[in-house]
Amino acid sequence: MHEPLVITAAICGAEVTKADNPAVPYTAQELAAEAERCFAEGARVIHLHVRRPDGTPTQDRETFAAAMAEIRRRAPEVIVQVSTGGAVGMTVEQRTGPLDLAPEFCTLTTGTCNFGDEVFENTFPMIRAIAEKARAAGTRMEIEVFDAGFIDNALLLARKGVIPEPLHFDFVLGVPGAMTGTEDRLDFLRSTIPADATWMVAGVGRFELPLAQAAIARGGHVRVGLEDNLYVSKGVLAQGSWELVRAVAAMAREAGRPLATPAQARRILNLRAA
Ligand code: KMH
Ligand code: ZN
């Protein structure tokens, strides 16, 4: 129960904009400043999407390279996890742009689901193509689980050697169109993963902070940030993802869970040394 807690900050995403919350970062400088603030509050992983100057999402390798260089300059110890989900409708080739940079860590979504009024498409050929590119780059994968069957798909692909073990799961709960964010759903999902797997939870919208609390109590890890939720309390916009990280760090303190150091986070997540 006193396993150090790894907090991921999802600082940008592909869907939220400055019109939703002015603290959503777009430029390399804005992303790095936010990453630095989140690291200072206790986040050890930055889940990274990038934007064009007008805020539209892109998976362009050079845009990622610029943001990652700036993050490395301002928060050298932080773990950068690149998104391979990108935005709904992007091709696999587009989505895997940042894997050309051989990053330390990436996401891999192992199933298709409704995503609001749209469809987040991840067929087996798409999942295999992304996983193969990540393996070739030596990049560790975090499995994004929006619905229960995504775990079964990941287990199938792990048995076939497509996804390296031990597996690490992120339960992304509360997306309209996929699994909701209640504790019974979390407990069911946890019950279906291998004993040697690690897990974290990313609650979307109003589920974010209650699920963070639930994960801390259950020995799991936590993702928060503006990608998933814009508010620090009902009707009050977060001043940045850092404020949500701060709230989770306070919960951890209360629960007696120390925050992982960068080295501990890399050990827990089975990442190669930085
Ligand atoms: N933007 C979502 C459609 C990921 O980063 O890997 C997908 C997403 C998942 O955000
Ligand atoms: Zn994402």
Side-chain angles (χ1 to χ4, degrees):
M1 198 45 68
H2 297 293
E3 159 98 331
L5 174 69
V6 179
I7 304 175
T8 294
I11 61 178
C12 177
E15 291 82 25
V16 293
T17 68
K18 286 187 191 293
D20 301 315
N21 183 326
V24 173
Y26 291 169
T27 67
Q29 284 70 26
E30 290 172 345
L31 287 161
E34 186 59 26
E36 188 180 15
R37 284 190 287 263
C38 289
F39 182 76
E41 297 293 343
R44 296 294 171 250
V45 181
I46 300 297
H47 170 67
L48 189 65
H49 290 251
V50 296
R51 306 292 182 97
R52 297 194 186 89
D54 68 355
T56 54
T58 175
Q59 291 287 105
D60 174 58
R61 178 185 50 187
E62 298 312 323
T63 312
F64 266 94
M68 288 163 74
E70 196 59 21
I71 291 171
R72 211 170 301 120
R73 196 177 69 74
R74 295 186 65 152
E77 292 180 291
V78 84
I79 298 159
V80 175
Q81 176 195 67
V82 303
S83 170
T84 66
V88 164
M90 288 179 174
T91 64
V92 166
E93 205 190 334
Q94 290 169 328
R95 285 168 55 175
T96 56
L99 294 180
D100 289 339
L101 304 167
E104 184 173 13
F105 203 15
C106 72
T107 56
L108 177 72
T109 303
T110 53
T112 296
C113 61
N114 288 327
F115 193 84
D117 289 347
E118 300 180 292
V119 174
F120 183 30
E121 192 183 6
N122 294 283
T123 62
F124 273 119
M126 293 170 78
I127 303 165
R128 276 196 297 269
I130 296 169
E132 275 157 22
K133 190 164 172 185
R135 276 173 67 90
T139 301
R140 172 118 173 105
M141 299 166 227
E142 174 180 276
I143 299 160
E144 307 304 303
V145 173
F146 291 68
D147 225 323
F150 292 22
I151 295 175
D152 301 304
N153 296 346
L155 296 177
L156 186 69
L157 291 169
R159 277 199 299 277
K160 291 181 185 299
V162 176
I163 307 176
E165 295 170 288
L167 301 176
H168 171 61
F169 293 94
D170 179 26
F171 306 134
V172 186
L173 301 181
V175 168
M179 205 163 193
T180 193
T182 51
E183 289 190 18
D184 60 340
R185 301 319 196 270
L186 173 63
D187 286 330
F188 170 67
L189 295 178
R190 284 197 309 134
S191 76
T192 68
I193 65 174
D196 66 350
T198 48
W199 62 274
M200 62 170 38
V201 69
V204 173
R206 67 191 168 87
F207 296 111
E208 184 169 81
L209 294 175
L211 280 177
Q213 186 88 63
I216 290 167
R218 289 159 173 76
H221 304 282
V222 172
R223 172 174 124 175
V224 288
L226 298 183
E227 172 169 345
D228 303 328
N229 164 45
L230 299 163
Y231 297 93
V232 70
S233 58
K234 195 171 165 58
V236 181
L237 286 176
Q239 297 172 70
S241 294
W242 62 267
E243 202 178 5
L244 298 163
V245 174
R246 178 179 286 181
V248 174
M251 288 176 194
R253 224 174 6 257
E254 187 75 15
R257 291 255 334 246
L259 300 185
T261 64
Q264 286 172 329
R266 285 188 167 87
R267 180 185 53 73
I268 290 165
L269 297 170
N270 283 287
L271 293 164
R272 61 180 188 234

